[in-house]
Amino acid sequence: MYLTKEEEKILDGEKGEMLGRLLNLLVSLGEIYGAERLIDISSAQISGVSYKTIGDIGLEFVEDIAKENIKVKVPSTLNPAGMDLDNWKMLGIDEEFANKQLKIIKAFQSLGVEISCSCVPYLIGNLPTFNSHIAWAESSAVIFANSILGAKTNREGGPAALASAILGKTPYYGYHLDENRKANYIIKLDLEKDRDESFYGALGYVVGKIVKNKVPYFENLYKFKPNLNDLKSLGAAMAASGGIALYHAKNLTAECKVKDVVEDAEKIEIGKEEIKEAYDKLSSIDIDDLDLICVGCPHCSLGEIKKIANLLKDKKIETELWVCTSIHIKAIADRMGYTKIIEKAGGKVVKDTCMVVSPIEDLGYKKVATNSGKAAVYLPSFCKSEVYYGDLKDLL
Ligand code: F3S
């Protein structure tokens, strides 16, 4: 891999052992994937934040870096933690978990990372421009940035995203190169949409299973007029059931006119049957047998919270409800009175975390309902939950 003189110096440890180790991580990644060189990035989104997912080893890793008194070089935002950083007692999180989680947060903060604790950085100020190179972890944010915004990132792991944030560089391979951004599959939808927002998670689940880690092109998705929330759900589900990091959709996504499909692209038709099968696979329990209703995967936008508040106005719910979002969006929801309506109905607006990365299994929640295709994929393995999958209005 070609390195500039400055990069060679960093790699040799001339700017400190830690910077050398972090650059070595990026160079090793680049060598594995055949990158010719490193490129500058304009932002980072760092995952590996919840104590539940990174444990003591992860805590030590971040604290070791933070001890060196180094700072991130580019605007860097953080993925959800394992709890609401202020209201963890309200969620029933135990003190030992909370203390470890707060140490992780403190370490990231001392590195200069924004303690945003959200998987929707693009809704809260980390909004990359078209064609910009970024290093983002968090698969749902990666697919949104690549597809909807036309920024360029690979699906980074937490440590690589952190190294990139500190060095301001990433190896130049994969989705940073135009030739890898062409579609390999052409998807035609031969069906009518007879569900609300959960349709997009189910569709994403189906496409992810077929396409795996390649690039699909949706020929006629636009006929359903999906809004940004719908595309956020679709992308998250495709990234979870497969490993999709980029898709194109006629009349909808950033590069749908710029990029082409490969010559031998495979044509796939998806009908009513495949979507019905997805609903069957994503649900393992009945809707009337629940411990917890969880929405906000990826984190809710203000519009989604407004919709929940409208559904719950002057009503009471008996099942525990978590509406997961960022501190930024909750602040506006508080101001608009949506949080009050949801709380009055018996629900909680939970910030900084989500149903997958918080320890809900230790809080006693075993039967969980969600309207998120991504959460429905991950809940059984990450949280040992049984899942009901459906539309918000049915869940509530
Ligand atoms: Fe975000 Fe958690 Fe879902 S990090 S995308 S809400 S699994």
Side-chain angles (χ1 to χ4, degrees):
M1 208 168 144
Y2 166 79
L3 295 182
T4 62
K5 284 213 168 71
E6 184 65 16
E7 289 162 357
E8 293 276 10
K9 277 188 194 164
I10 298 173
L11 194 63
D12 291 343
E14 285 183 33
K15 305 272 160 116
E17 196 209 326
M18 182 54 77
L19 286 187
R21 271 170 60 191
L22 294 172
L23 186 57
N24 186 39
L25 194 159
L26 297 183
V27 170
S28 306
L29 253 183
E31 278 170 354
I32 290 168
Y33 289 104
E36 285 173 14
R37 59 187 170 95
L38 296 165
I39 43 163
D40 290 344
I41 55 161
S42 58
S43 84
Q45 163 77 5
I46 300 162
S47 69
V49 183
S50 166
Y51 178 64
K52 172 179 162 178
T53 52
I54 67 170
D56 288 322
I57 294 177
L59 166 61
E60 217 175 284
F61 173 73
V62 188
E63 280 189 329
D64 274 354
I65 301 174
K67 257 191 252 155
E68 302 291 321
N69 204 20
I70 42 187
K71 301 275 178 214
V72 291
K73 213 167 179 181
V74 294
S76 302
T77 40
L78 205 58
N79 231 32
M83 61 187 201
D84 186 313
L85 297 183
D86 304 301
N87 302 314
W88 50 271
K89 282 192 183 145
M90 163 191 93
L91 300 180
I93 301 284
D94 80 49
E95 203 142 340
E96 197 190 329
F97 184 99
N99 286 339
K100 298 264 174 98
Q101 183 63 73
L102 292 172
K103 279 185 178 177
I104 295 170
I105 295 300
K106 199 174 155 204
F108 277 119
Q109 191 166 359
S110 72
L111 289 166
V113 178
E114 283 177 32
I115 305 304
S116 48
C117 293
S118 178
C119 48
V120 292
Y122 46 86
L123 293 184
I124 55 172
N126 186 354
L127 185 71
T129 50
F130 183 73
N131 255 333
S132 56
H133 294 280
I134 57 177
W136 280 21
E138 172 47 47
S139 63
S140 70
V142 164
I143 194 168
F144 192 98
N146 271 327
S147 315
I148 311 300
L149 306 176
K152 293 174 174 174
T153 178
N154 290 313
R155 278 170 60 124
E156 301 293 350
L162 179 56
S164 287
I166 290 168
L167 293 157
K169 292 174 188 294
T170 194
Y172 191 37
Y173 73 95
Y175 293 109
H176 291 285
L177 301 166
D178 282 347
E179 66 256 35
N180 296 327
R181 297 178 68 90
K182 290 189 176 190
N184 325 82
Y185 284 84
I186 300 173
I187 310 281
K188 188 170 175 202
L189 305 176
D190 183 20
L191 46 89
E192 294 307 316
K193 179 174 160 288
D194 57 358
R195 309 272 191 131
D196 203 356
E197 81 285 351
S198 70
F199 167 78
Y200 292 97
L203 174 61
Y205 175 81
V206 175
V207 175
K209 286 278 174 211
I210 298 168
V211 172
K212 299 196 171 63
N213 60 356
K214 296 279 192 279
V215 182
Y217 173 84
F218 289 91
E219 213 170 62
N220 58 349
L221 177 67
Y222 67 89
K223 73 173 184 175
F224 297 124
K225 301 191 171 64
N227 61 28
L228 271 194
N229 296 324
D230 299 328
L231 296 174
K232 164 164 89 71
S233 302
L234 172 76
M238 288 198 286
S241 76
I244 301 177
L246 165 69
Y247 68 95
H248 305 296
K250 187 173 173 185
N251 298 340
L252 291 172
T253 56
E255 295 175 4
C256 66
K257 285 191 183 141
V258 185
K259 299 292 175 297
D260 219 341
V261 291
V262 297
E263 261 175 30
D264 55 347
E266 195 173 327
K267 291 196 173 165
I268 304 280
E269 223 171 81
I270 294 174
K272 215 165 95 190
E273 267 312 298
E274 285 85 356
I275 298 295
K276 188 189 167 304
E277 255 175 50
Y279 276 91
D280 292 345
K281 287 212 172 106
L282 292 170
S283 280
S284 57
I285 48 170
D286 286 338
I287 195 166
D288 48 9
D289 186 20
L290 305 173
D291 302 326
L292 177 67
I293 300 168
C294 256
V295 296
C297 172
H299 272 174
C300 278
S301 65
L302 187 67
E304 289 171 309
I305 297 182
K306 180 181 177 185
K307 187 172 166 186
I308 296 164
N310 286 340
L311 284 164
L312 290 180
K313 198 155 199 234
D314 300 324
K315 303 217 169 61
K316 277 271 171 218
I317 47 168
E318 283 171 19
T319 307
E320 177 85 2
L321 165 70
W322 286 16
V323 177
C324 300
T325 192
S326 67
I327 186 171
H328 317 61
I329 288 166
K330 181 170 182 293
I332 311 175
D334 291 353
R335 201 178 254 176
M336 295 299 289
Y338 304 149
T339 308
K340 213 175 229 164
I341 295 171
I342 293 167
E343 285 175 354
K344 209 169 153 207
K348 294 181 175 116
V349 178
V350 175
K351 60 179 172 54
D352 308 319
T353 187
C354 79
M355 62 294 259
V356 173
V357 298
S358 70
I360 61 163
E361 61 282 20
D362 299 336
L363 304 177
Y365 302 122
K366 307 269 181 253
K367 296 176 177 182
V368 184
T370 184
N371 63 345
S372 158
K374 173 172 176 175
V377 169
Y378 283 145
L379 280 165
S381 52
F382 272 63
C383 308
K384 302 179 184 62
S385 316
E386 294 183 276
V387 174
Y388 177 84
Y389 178 65
D391 277 331
L392 190 56
K393 60 177 185 307
D394 300 327
L395 306 188
L396 296 182

